[in-house]
Amino acid sequence: MNRFAILAAGALCVTSAAPAFATDTVTFGQFFQQQTNQRLFRYKNEDAGAVKGAEIYTTSSASSNVPGSIPVYFLLGVNSLPADLSSPQDALLAVDFISTSGTTGIGSDRIQMFGNGTITIVRTTAALEGLNTRTNLLTVTFTNAELDAAQNNGAFTFKSNDDSVITYTSDFLDFSGVLKEDFSFSFSGASPKFDAPLGSSGVNTRFSGTGTFASDPAPLTIGVPEISTWAMLFFGFGAVGAVMRTGRRQKDLFAA
């Protein structure tokens, strides 16, 4: 399946499964797994007697138990993007979400609070534009987010809420004017399906995922000239310098 087919399928999945963002935020980025049939997210039960907790993280393969990065396509949706950032970006995604509590809920509904976490989306190669290493498409740190699931369901969500404190950073986007941030993950294909007694964490399980990021207002594109622009400026300044030096030499000759 090519990347555009994956993006189309992923967009449909996000539309149907992800919770709506607050009406005052604008979506600026989305990721989709390149290997859509691979369960590369892992939910790990870390309950130990009266102490409850869980961790969600990415693994480099569907059989690995070790945290790792997974290949994704990341799509930026902001104005004034340079050409090499306008198409789906080949990137690596890593997440690590930590919970120190069990689930709550009514009936078959389950909510588990996660106290903190990180999300990194890194371009596989450096872009022509940007800052620093020119690979950080988006890094997210947060406190307070939640997993929303239903018993014996293979699809569920992980999302920010009104208590979330979120920080976005990027080599390509300027978040200095942003007042509000939101993010939402849609998980599907869980095997085994989500199963958690009230007050406890769920069973160990694996699943696939997509994610969407939003802010109010939308971030700005960092205005760093492309390498080709720097080259033009360099040669332009060099040409101006050469003309000035020639002019000075001619003036000296006339003076002599």
Side-chain angles (χ1 to χ4, degrees), residues 20-194:
F21 286 129
T23 55
D24 54 352
T25 57
V26 178
T27 298
F28 67 82
Q30 301 179 68
F31 78 81
F32 309 92
Q33 283 186 216
Q34 292 189 20
Q35 301 164 320
T36 55
N37 62 338
Q38 294 289 304
R39 299 182 179 93
L40 299 179
F41 290 82
R42 184 173 189 244
Y43 175 103
K44 181 184 178 184
N45 181 309
E46 295 186 343
D47 290 354
V51 179
K52 308 299 182 183
E55 184 177 10
I56 295 174
Y57 55 87
T58 45
T59 63
S60 58
S61 72
S63 60
S64 173
N65 292 326
V66 179
S69 299
I70 69 173
V72 297
Y73 295 124
F74 187 69
L75 187 63
L76 286 163
V78 296
N79 295 325
S80 304
L81 285 172
D84 63 337
L85 295 178
S86 298
S87 59
Q89 302 291 290
D90 284 302
L92 294 173
L93 165 76
V95 309
D96 190 18
F97 308 149
I98 305 295
S99 173
T100 56
S101 62
T103 57
T104 61
I106 299 174
S108 63
D109 292 336
R110 296 288 184 271
I111 296 175
Q112 187 165 20
M113 305 307 297
F114 282 70
N116 62 83
T118 59
I119 305 163
T120 60
I121 305 174
V122 178
R123 205 173 189 268
T124 54
T125 59
L128 295 177
E129 306 80 9
L131 302 174
N132 305 314
T133 61
R134 296 176 287 118
T135 57
N136 176 26
L137 289 165
L138 185 65
T139 295
V140 184
T141 59
F142 69 84
T143 58
N144 303 322
E146 65 185 65
L147 182 150
D148 293 357
Q151 283 289 81
N152 300 312
N153 199 318
F156 41 94
T157 62
F158 187 93
K159 64 185 181 70
S160 57
N161 55 37
D162 290 341
D163 295 323
S164 299
V165 178
I166 303 168
T167 300
Y168 288 144
T169 59
S170 173
D171 285 344
F172 310 102
L173 301 176
D174 178 5
F175 294 98
S176 60
V178 166
L179 303 176
K180 181 177 175 58
E181 303 90 359
D182 279 319
F183 67 84
S184 176
F185 283 58
S186 293
F187 294 134
S188 60
S191 180
K193 293 181 178 180
F194 190 85

